[in-house]
Every structure is written in C-alpha cells, then in structure tokens.
Amino acid sequence: MTISQPLLEKIIRDAGEIALKHFHDLKHLNVEKKQPRDFVTAADVEVEQFLQTQLRENYPQFGFWGEESGQSENQTNRWIVDPIDGTHSFSRGQYYWSISVALEMDGEMVFGAVFAPALNDFYCAEKGKGAFRNGVKIGVSDLDELNDAMIGTGFACLRAYLENNNLARFCRVAQATASQRRLGSAAVDICLVADGQLDAFWEQELNLYDVAAGALIAKEAGATVTDFQGNDGIFPKQILVTNGKIYHQLLTLM
Ligand code: 2AM
Ligand code: CA
C-alpha cells in the first residue's frame, strides 16, 4: 500500500481545524444555495481546496473527485472527498457533520476516513485491517431483535423533491424498531453503525462521496452493506448498512 495513515490523519485533522474555525464563527459564515434545499458554505469550499492541494502534493499518482470541485483526469485510482457531509447541520451549529475521504483503486475502496471535528471522532479503515475510532478498534453491535433496535436514516430524497421519498419505508421501520435517529450526515450515521452506536442505517439518493469512506469503515467493522434488494456493494442511491444480526428482518421492510 502506497499511503501513510498517520500522514492522512494529519491532513484530515488539519482540514477539520479549517472547518472548526468557521463552525465557531457561524455569524460570519456565508451560506449559499446550490439549488433549493441544497446548501454550500465557504467552509465546504475551503476544506475541499485544502484537501485537494494536500492530497495532490503528497499523492500525485491519484486523481481527485470532490463534491464541490468535480472530477480530475485520473479516475481509476482516486480520492473521493466530501469536504463537509451534513452541511445544513454544520451551518446551524449542530455537531453531526463530517469530512469524508476515501481512496478508490480499480473500483474498490481501499482506505476510508470520516472525521467529525465537533465530536472529535476520527473513524478510519484500510481494507482488510479493521476499523478504528480515535485509534481504538471498533465493531458493530450484537443486537439481534429488530424490535429493540435503534436505527438511523436520512431524507436526501426529500431535498431532491422525489416522489419516491422514503416516508412510507420510514413508517414501516419506525413501527418495527425501538428508536429512530435522523442526524443529518450519512457518513457519520454509517460510522455509528460501525461503532455499535446504531444497529442499522439506510438512505436513498445519496452520492458516492457521502458514503464511500463510511461504507469501507462499516464493512471493516463487520457490517453488511447492500442495496434494498440485498445486493452486496456500495450503492449510494440505496444503501442499507446493518450489524448483520438484524439484516434479514430489516431487508424485508425496505
Ligand atoms: P451533504 O450535507 O454533503 O449535502 C442527509 O440526509 C444526507 O443527504 C447528507 O449526507 C447530505 O450530504 C445529503 N444531501 C443533502 N442535500 C442533498 C440533496 N439535495 N440531494 C442529495 N443528497 C443531499
Ligand atoms: Ca457535502
């Protein structure tokens, strides 16, 4: 492997400092709308520029795809970056937002990091080497009764004005589970499943940069990652992440 985890952690934590500076001075933060219900701030742009520059400088062999700046030339081996996942929460001073960085090589995620600066939680994984939060190995919960489960979801589909909007599915799952959470950053939500803080998470109509890093972290922590039909893989338009034990019970409700 040609990457250095300590170097990447330093770069991503430094990016977190840039985001935190804005987070602690929200009164002066410029929030714009890319389209209705879709926000971007100066922090998103600055964090992405910083990551792009640092990653290019240290890893010139890899391409780059960021939410705000788009795709560079080399897309076979590339960094996939969401500078701030959960921008709306960020802009309101809430804590669930994150910086998401994945390295994809030949169609496979080999490294993923999700840093939630306001929580000071740094999640990361390298393929085949387990998943970690702040350097401590993590794993999914062992809860096996859907009725007792705490599950997370999100509604990117509502912001996209889709008729297929997750509301009926949410009602089915809410009636079958003990607790529901809607925290606003898919990348963090998926890491909470990896860490056993949630038993499962699903969402639809996301983008690859929202889920690429989280999905690897979750898999390395022992989670199942599928679409709503049960196909293995990372499908941002339909992602279901579970602890494995409640997978079949939940899949039938998707
Ligand atoms: P973002 O903050 O990077 O935009 C929350 O449900 C998830 O939906 C977040 O990961 C958020 O990512 C994403 N999201 C927000 N607005 C969206 C939109 N208009 N279309 C698709 N996804 C969106
Ligand atoms: Ca974003």
Side-chain angles (χ1 to χ4, degrees):
M1 171 65 60
T2 45
I3 56 165
S4 154
Q5 269 215 37
L7 173 63
L8 286 167
E9 179 159 349
K10 162 101 174 68
I11 291 171
I12 296 163
R13 282 189 178 275
D14 286 350
E17 285 303 315
I18 295 172
L20 278 176
K21 237 182 276 159
H22 289 286
F23 188 68
H24 292 138
D25 187 24
L26 287 176
K27 269 200 300 259
H28 296 107
L29 183 69
N30 185 30
V31 182
E32 282 173 20
K33 271 190 222 163
K34 290 196 265 195
Q35 45 192 328
R37 302 184 187 173
D38 194 357
F39 305 92
V40 62
T41 74
D44 299 69
V45 175
E46 250 181 73
V47 167
E48 182 160 323
Q49 273 171 359
F50 175 81
L51 286 170
Q52 188 171 21
T53 305
Q54 291 292 319
L55 293 171
R56 276 244 168 90
E57 212 170 281
N58 289 285
Y59 300 101
Q61 69 271 41
F62 301 139
F64 185 90
W65 175 23
E67 175 173 3
E68 312 305 339
S69 63
Q71 305 193 353
S72 71
E73 332 62 64
N74 175 5
Q75 291 292 310
T76 310
N77 300 320
R78 58 181 179 178
W79 298 106
I80 302 177
V81 169
D82 188 345
I84 298 185
D85 184 55
T87 299
H88 206 191
S89 300
F90 173 90
S91 72
R92 303 296 298 266
Q94 299 171 10
Y95 283 22
Y96 284 93
W97 52 274
S98 58
I99 295 171
S100 173
V101 177
L103 177 61
E104 184 186 40
M105 296 182 80
D106 295 318
E108 190 177 55
M109 301 306 158
V110 297
F111 170 84
V114 173
F115 181 37
L119 304 168
N120 196 23
D121 277 334
F122 189 98
Y123 293 93
C124 73
E126 245 182 83
K127 193 176 160 40
K129 297 187 179 170
F132 298 83
R133 173 166 70 100
N134 298 331
V136 178
K137 196 158 193 193
I138 55 173
V140 294
S141 69
D142 58 11
L143 182 137
D144 60 7
E145 183 47 61
L146 188 62
N147 207 32
D148 297 330
M150 181 185 279
I151 49 90
T153 189
F155 294 92
C157 41
L158 285 179
R159 293 208 226 166
Y161 297 90
L162 296 179
E163 263 174 52
N164 173 15
N165 58 20
N166 200 32
L167 292 174
R169 189 179 299 113
F170 177 76
C171 290
R172 286 197 296 277
V173 177
Q175 284 174 315
T177 50
S179 285
Q180 306 78 36
R181 296 289 182 270
R182 194 278 194 233
L183 300 169
S185 165
V188 176
D189 290 321
I190 294 169
C191 289
L192 295 187
V193 178
D195 195 25
Q197 297 182 44
L198 288 174
D199 303 305
F201 168 79
W202 84 90
E203 190 160 350
Q204 61 183 81
E205 299 306 323
L206 293 170
N207 291 294
L208 187 57
Y209 46 73
D210 297 313
V211 301
L216 176 66
I217 293 165
K219 278 189 197 170
E220 287 295 322
T224 59
V225 181
T226 68
D227 66 7
F228 298 168
Q229 285 76 48
N231 298 302
D232 269 329
I234 302 175
F235 302 96
K237 298 288 164 202
Q238 286 193 344
I239 185 165
L240 170 64
V241 183
T242 84
N243 69 354
K245 300 255 169 84
I246 57 169
Y247 170 62
H248 291 287
Q249 298 169 71
L250 204 48
L251 185 64
T252 58
L253 296 175
M254 291 291 109

